[in-house]
DNA sequence: AGATTTTAGAACCGATCGGTACAGATCTCG
DNA sequence: CGAGATCTGTACCGATCGGTTCTAAAATCT
């Protein structure tokens, strides 16, 4: 039985849901969860509120889906960094990717995972918690990767994988804040370089 | 002529403006500029909207005054750090103070200067810009202090004061994000220690 | 005392918030 | 060709947004 090939019954949707989600991601990235109104979102997406609700659920669902999109797109550098052969290369690629994503031309400055919602009122709390969990997931992936590096002798046995992961994530978060405040790409590349100067020797 | 001693004419205000501002600061710190509604603020301040407008202007003015209050209170560690005798001590005190302020018991986790407004809709843009300028001011103070350190031979001549300042501010911003996400004080103290391992020798 | 100045409280303002109900349009299936 | 299913646009929902108006109360001034 063909699961995907069939044309669905009923009137087909008149817009590209993927493209609309991409637009929504940009708006959330630029204005944050609470700062992005449904009017802002749907106007950027080129659809009406009704279509948005039918296609994505509600504002919170839309935000989560925009975050998934962000993870696969601008934040894909995390996965790429984790696949580097040595811990040092992982760290370097991670910070370089963080700088790149936070200062990407044509995109909002900073990181959706940080500025999407850091402090929020009652209404924005689920979105804030979603982002905190998302950042934590990345941090734990880094930690696991550095544990593996210790096992492989790629990091000295006395290295603390959890601490190194948190250190890197802290610098990346700081880079995102700096970028949101207008810091330029080359300035942040220098910061990343300084941050890696004290990386444990292999 | 006594400028301050006189009792002002008219009905005296029935609340402590300083205490009310302190409460407002906490609310902004916890919920961000856009996430804090006037109802949230005035209820925490224990006054009505009318009294708030008479005493502080409007929401934006209140936010600016809450930031000044934050600078004199929880963020006073910046000034203290800048007065340390050596560049290394300045850097150490700055990061230690950042960790302390971001994980202070009884206060919201994180830093008002970061999570107060990082990304915002149209309405919150002035607040966001105010915070970005505030963070930049701190960064430039650090830079000037490190320039002085180079002049005094306290930092090597090849040290880059601007880069060191931006590096420290980046780490401090990252610490604030980590704290907002639930990181504990001792974890962030270790991060600060790692971040200072490669500080230029005297 | 009486005039003046300021505060406090409640009621109210238009605008906007996130979210829906409904009707018409457009598709597949029989 | 209907019949049933799904999407789209409009109009609307109650609640809340930041901010104001108006009246009464409480103080100092002459």
């Amino acid at each position: 039985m063909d699961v995907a090939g069939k044309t669905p019954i009923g009137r087909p949707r008149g817009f590209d849901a993927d493209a609309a989600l991409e637009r929504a991601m940009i708006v959330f990235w630029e204005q944050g969860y609470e700062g992005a109104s449904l009017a802002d979102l749907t106007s950027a997406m080129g659809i009406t509120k009704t279509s948005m609700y039918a296609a994505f659920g509600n504002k919170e669902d839309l935000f989560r889906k925009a975050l998934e999109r962000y993870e696969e797109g601008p934040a894909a550098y995390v996965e790429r960094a984790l696949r580097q052969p040595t811990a040092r290369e992982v760290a370097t690629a991670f910070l370089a990717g963080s700088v790149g994503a936070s200062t990407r031309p044509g995109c909002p400055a900073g990181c959706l995972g940080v500025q999407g919602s850091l402090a929020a009122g009652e209404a924005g709390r689920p979105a804030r918690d979603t982002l905190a969990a998302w950042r934590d997931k990345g941090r734990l992936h880094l930690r696991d990767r550095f544990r593996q590096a210790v096992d492989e002798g790629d990091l000295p046995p006395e290295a603390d994988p959890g601490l190194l992961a948190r250190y890197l994530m802290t610098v990346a978060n700081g880079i995102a804040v700096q970028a949101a405040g207008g810091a330029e790409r080359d300035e942040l590349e220098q910061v990343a370089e300084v941050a890696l100067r004290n990386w444990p020797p292999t």
Side-chain angles (χ1 to χ4, degrees), chain A residues 18-74:
Chain A
D18 263 21
L21 184 55
E22 179 98 11
R23 304 281 189 82
M25 177 192 76
I26 300 282
V27 175
F28 279 131
W29 192 350
E30 189 155 42
Q31 315 205 16
Y33 177 78
E34 286 182 317
S37 70
L38 282 187
D40 293 332
L41 290 161
T42 53
S43 135
M45 296 164 89
I47 62 178
T48 64
K49 261 186 291 189
T50 321
S51 298
M52 194 286 273
Y53 272 87
F56 301 102
N58 61 15
K59 191 186 177 184
E60 228 175 280
D61 292 335
L62 178 64
F63 183 70
R64 270 189 288 270
K65 280 160 183 156
L67 179 61
E68 286 171 22
R69 180 101 184 160
Y70 183 75
E71 187 169 10
E72 299 159 3

Side-chain angles (χ1 to χ4, degrees), chain A residues 140 142-153 155 161-162:
Chain A
L140 295 178
L142 280 172
R143 185 199 59 184
D144 293 345
R145 178 63 185 82
F146 293 147
R147 280 185 179 162
Q148 174 195 334
V150 170
D151 289 345
E152 293 171 346
L155 276 174

Side-chain angles (χ1 to χ4, degrees), chain A residues 57-126:
Chain A
N58 61 15
K59 191 186 177 184
E60 228 175 280
D61 292 335
L62 178 64
F63 183 70
R64 270 189 288 270
K65 280 160 183 156
L67 179 61
E68 286 171 22
R69 180 101 184 160
Y70 183 75
E71 187 169 10
E72 299 159 3
Y77 70 88
V78 179
E79 276 294 327
R80 272 196 305 274
L82 287 167
R83 282 195 302 268
Q84 296 299 307
T86 68
R88 164 168 256 115
E89 284 170 291
V90 169
T92 305
F94 177 70
L95 288 191
S98 162
V99 171
S102 288
T103 61
R104 182 192 285 229
C107 283
C111 171
L112 172 61
V114 173
Q115 71 212 29
S117 182
L118 203 47
E122 187 64 34
R125 214 137 293 175

